[in-house]
């Protein structure tokens, strides 16, 4: 197992958690077995009433408290607290493959033109026969809504990596205080307008089938998805957004001539 050297970017892993101690224990165990160990793990405790914070500290993670309800403020607090050059994000019920940190950090190091990578997922619990088809259905539905709305790939909160510099560029624009948006979808809106998001096939991640369980609030998740789109309208209404993205891509090409801005 290796950590960062003076010539490689440092890596922070951020995990938002609320009352999920047992799942967090398994996630931290998986992170301890990585072929490239993160330089720090930041567990953001969203006012848990169980021993999530104690589990995190026992595993050597740094615990940051966030008392504002919801995943958006919790995730943003973790990104703000991270000290690494690269920020990797997963959830307490995520189970990263042994090469996850190495794959994500290596991909960002190799592609300085890419600001963020996102990966897929497979279900690791629930009925075995349903795991693969439900994972395909879950992620396909997300892509079907997100790609037309964004004009590019979305980010998947259980499996993403971004440059800390990219986060700092958008941290004051994300809807961090709105608990009714999907934080990863919202982040993609702001990050993807000026920065490149790519998919990394080698970023293997296992996740829980909890979204499909009775009483899991699946309908609420769907409503939050639509809200995550609508809060960006009319400024990011799809045809308008697509034109903005194309404009920025053209300007960011090597040798592109930027229009002169005249002041009176």
């Amino acid at each position: 197992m290796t950590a960062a050297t003076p010539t490689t970017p440092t890596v922070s892993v951020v995990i938002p958690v609320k009352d999920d101690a047992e799942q967090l224990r398994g996630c931290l165990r998986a992170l301890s077995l990585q072929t490239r160990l993160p330089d720090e793990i930041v567990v953001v405790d969203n006012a848990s009433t169980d021993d999530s914070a104690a589990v995190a500290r026992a595993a050597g993670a740094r615990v940051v408290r966030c008392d504002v309800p919801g995943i958006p403020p919790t995730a943003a607090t973790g990104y703000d607290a991270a000290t690494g050059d690269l920020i990797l994000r997963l959830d307490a019920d995520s189970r990263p493959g042994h090469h996850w940190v190495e794959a994500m950090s290596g991909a960002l190091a190799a592609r300085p033109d890419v600001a963020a990578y996102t990966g897929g997922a497979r279900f690791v619990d629930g009925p075995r026969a349903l795991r693969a088809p439900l994972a395909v259905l879950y992620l396909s539905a997300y892509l079907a809504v997100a790609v037309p709305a964004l004009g590019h790939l979305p980010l998947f909160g259980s499996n993403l990596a971004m440059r800390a510099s990219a986060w700092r560029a958008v941290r004051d624009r994300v809807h961090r205080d709105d608990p009714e948006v999907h934080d990863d979808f919202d982040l993609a809106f702001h990050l993807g307008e000026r920065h490149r998001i790519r998919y990394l096939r080698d970023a293997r991640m296992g996740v829980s089938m909890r979204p499909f369980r009775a009483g899991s609030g699946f309908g609420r998740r769907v409503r939050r998805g639509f809200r995550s789109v609508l809060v960006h309208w009319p400024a990011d209404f799809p045809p308008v957004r697509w034109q903005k993205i194309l404009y920025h891509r053209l300007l960011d090409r090597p040798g592109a001539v930027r229009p002169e801005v005249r002041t009176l």
Side-chain angles (χ1 to χ4, degrees):
M1 298 179 185
T2 61
T5 70
T7 59
T8 60
T10 53
V11 176
S12 298
V13 173
V14 171
I15 312 172
V17 65
K18 181 177 178 65
D19 296 331
D20 214 2
E22 287 308 308
Q23 290 284 359
L24 178 62
R25 196 188 310 275
C27 180
L28 293 171
R29 170 65 177 167
L31 287 172
S32 73
L33 300 174
Q34 294 291 299
T35 55
R36 195 282 198 212
L37 294 174
D39 297 280
E40 68 169 356
I41 298 174
V42 180
V43 172
V44 190
D45 178 18
N46 192 206
S48 295
T49 57
D50 68 356
D51 59 348
S52 292
V55 167
R57 292 191 181 97
R62 177 159 62 99
V63 177
V64 178
R65 178 92 174 187
C66 176
D67 291 326
V68 182
I71 299 176
T74 306
T77 297
Y79 302 152
D80 286 342
T83 62
D85 303 311
L86 309 178
I87 301 173
L88 278 57
R89 152 77 189 277
L90 75 173
D91 293 320
D93 62 356
S94 298
R95 298 294 181 268
H98 292 336
H99 298 279
W100 181 67
V101 173
E102 182 179 5
M104 283 295 203
S105 58
L108 284 169
R111 288 288 302 272
D113 60 313
V114 174
Y117 277 100
T118 193
R122 58 184 178 83
F123 288 128
V124 295
D125 58 10
R128 188 173 297 275
L130 294 178
R131 292 178 186 178
L134 280 181
V136 171
L137 175 64
Y138 186 46
L139 294 176
S140 297
Y142 183 35
L143 290 173
V145 173
V147 171
L150 292 168
H152 54 75
L153 281 175
L155 291 166
F156 180 43
S158 296
N159 190 358
L160 71 83
M162 63 181 168
R163 301 183 191 279
S165 58
W167 165 247
R168 290 192 293 269
V170 301
R171 62 183 295 261
D172 294 326
R173 298 168 53 204
V174 299
H175 293 76
R176 64 166 68 211
D177 296 322
D178 188 343
E180 294 304 313
V181 302
H182 287 300
D183 67 294
D184 48 359
F185 201 174
D186 179 60
L187 177 60
F189 262 102
H190 299 285
L191 200 60
E193 183 178 334
R194 297 296 304 267
H195 301 83
R196 296 184 185 277
I197 298 172
R198 293 290 182 265
Y199 176 78
L200 186 61
R201 186 181 299 276
D202 294 336
R204 301 183 183 278
M205 183 65 66
V207 298
S208 173
M209 203 183 283
R210 289 195 289 188
F212 291 95
R213 292 176 185 165
S216 65
F218 186 77
R220 184 174 67 249
R221 292 171 184 262
V222 173
R223 290 193 297 273
R224 287 176 174 174
F226 283 104
R227 176 172 174 78
S228 300
V229 174
L230 295 177
V231 295
H232 295 92
W233 288 5
D236 279 310
F237 187 70
V240 177
R241 180 174 176 83
W242 302 339
Q243 291 180 35
K244 287 195 298 184
I245 291 172
L246 177 60
Y247 175 75
H248 290 311
R249 295 289 186 268
L250 291 173
L251 286 184
D252 290 340
R253 289 183 309 170
V257 178
R258 295 183 176 272
E260 181 180 354
V261 178
R262 297 181 180 274
T263 57
L264 298 178

